[in-house]
Amino acid sequence: MSRRGAAVDPFIVMDVMAAAAEKEAVGERVVHLEVGQPSTAAPRMAIAAAHAALDADRLGYVAALGLPALRERIARHYRERYGVAVPVERIVVTTGSSGGFPLAFLAAFDAGERIALAAPGYPAYRNVLAALNLEAVDLPTTAEDRFQPTAEALERAGPISGLIVASPSNPTGTMVTPAELKRLAEWCHARGVRLVSDEIYHGIVYEGETATAAAFSSSAIVLNSFSKYFSMTGWRVGWLVLPEELVRPVERLSQNLFISVPTLSQHVALAAMECRDELDGHVRRYRANRDLLMAGLPATGLDRLTPAQGAFYLYADVGHLTNDSREFCARMLREAGVATTPGVDFDRARGARTLRISFAGSPEEMEETVRRLRAWRR
Ligand SMILES: Cc1ncc(COP(=O)(O)O)c(C=O)c1O
């Protein structure tokens, strides 16, 4: 096995999911708060578009950069949502935002370069960087900074070639303000550091404003996806907004790595962009779930919660209850039937004292969670 292959860490949450499946196989009910995805299907009109496309289209390969109509519609999205004119040529459709990671990292960075990112953070960033012989540089963040990188932390990080920012963040649901994002973008641009802004949770926001890095920097790379707000995880469609000079390299990489993004999914994504009413309904449910947990969990001992400004996660400090979050989550699942994700997935240095709770499910599941955990902790 190559050293690169060996360097890639597993997702520890998969162990939780396997243990939950074992419990369910013997007829026990598990409340799933470990999964980072909407509990809903693609919007109804988008499903109808899928049926129509199956009947009408050959669904062969399409251009590596994506269906022209979808790229145009995404460009319009930037005008309408953010008031930013992004030329359609700079928009590239990808196989989920995950498909955008290797394309962006390969096009922007050379092997051995150092890329800074917040800890806690989404684990695939560091794992994909490792697989591509890039060095992930942790910026240990704090609740006071809303778990987001600051220009001061960057000054301390030593020489870096890139910075990944995710707002709203997975696992904390915290955001950078538009002013902070602008400051980070300018800091990066002035130093020739490539900003990669993961905007996958845009649209799922409860407090504060989201800005796109595309508004502040012509050298930034924006990652986005149809997986979260658009409720289309399994369809595997996302997009990149690229600096002009990276479009052609990404096109060549994409042609060779993927040929093209699933054609049916691109038709469905295009239709999903017209389904805001249905999708905003999901966001209202997430908000109610968040409020329900913020009100109910403290009585269970989980009282050190980061209030999510967006996404569908609560990050809990459980340092007063355990110094082994993996064992704690396993026991919570075994004894209370509530599945959560240990913080070690997101923060290797400090995650033994934290866990992530996903509230993408139903209000009934959130109520059931509070009931079960109260009884468990009594
Ligand atoms: C912050 C963040 N970025 C990217 C992804 C990847 O999602 P997808 O490949 O479905 O777009 C996820 C998935 O959970 C995520 O949380």
Side-chain angles (χ1 to χ4, degrees), residues 96-98 101 122 125 170 198 200-201 225 227-228 236:
S97 64
S98 301
F101 291 177
Y122 181 57
Y125 303 139
N170 177 6
D198 185 342
I200 184 171
Y201 289 103
S225 174
S227 289
K228 308 295 172 162
R236 312 306 304 131

